[in-house]
Amino acid sequence: MSKARVLFLIRVPRERTEDFLKAYEQIRYQVAEGVPGHLVDQVCEASSDSEQWLITSEWASLADFEAWERSPGHRELAAPLRACITEARSIRFVVREETTARRS
């Protein structure tokens, strides 16, 4: 089974930035430490547009992410984050190859 990467391209109005970051802070460790298959995530702000954001997450498998997304607690946990978002697009990828430094 291959790892998966999920990207959320989102827009957060400037006046909601602090609320958005607080909401992310409130849920990040609950997901990282409590959701099976979750490996890592990042929240990124576009350098040229302070309202454009990217949340990227890596999962042990796409099935793990989809199970989390369908779980009863997902919508409730993510609700404060979603309340700050005016636009969202989700893209899912299966990792085919991965490169790290060679060990000698």
Side-chain angles (χ1 to χ4, degrees):
M1 198 175 318
S2 297
K3 288 194 289 186
R5 172 139 342 251
V6 179
L7 306 176
F8 290 98
L9 299 166
I10 58 177
R11 291 202 69 78
V12 177
R14 282 182 193 87
E15 64 273 10
R16 297 300 311 268
T17 298
E18 287 306 312
D19 295 333
F20 171 73
L21 292 172
K22 284 178 188 175
Y24 178 78
E25 186 65 30
Q26 289 175 356
I27 68 169
R28 64 192 271 190
Y29 289 108
Q30 292 177 57
V31 175
E33 296 169 354
V35 177
H38 178 271
L39 301 175
V40 66
D41 65 69
Q42 298 174 322
V43 63
C44 309
E45 181 181 6
S47 62
S48 60
D49 180 354
S50 64
E51 292 190 353
Q52 182 70 58
W53 292 79
L54 169 70
I55 297 175
T56 178
S57 58
E58 189 171 317
W59 296 81
S61 71
L62 194 52
D64 286 325
F65 168 75
E66 291 170 343
W68 156 241
E69 192 175 45
R70 287 190 308 269
S71 72
H74 175 259
R75 284 217 182 271
E76 184 179 328
L77 190 62
L81 197 66
R82 290 178 185 260
C84 302
I85 297 170
T86 58
E87 235 177 272
R89 180 173 173 222
S90 170
I91 309 169
R92 302 169 188 189
F93 296 89
V94 173
V95 177
R96 297 287 303 263
E97 298 288 339
E98 184 172 87
T99 305
T100 60
R102 294 183 221 193
R103 297 192 174 128
S104 36

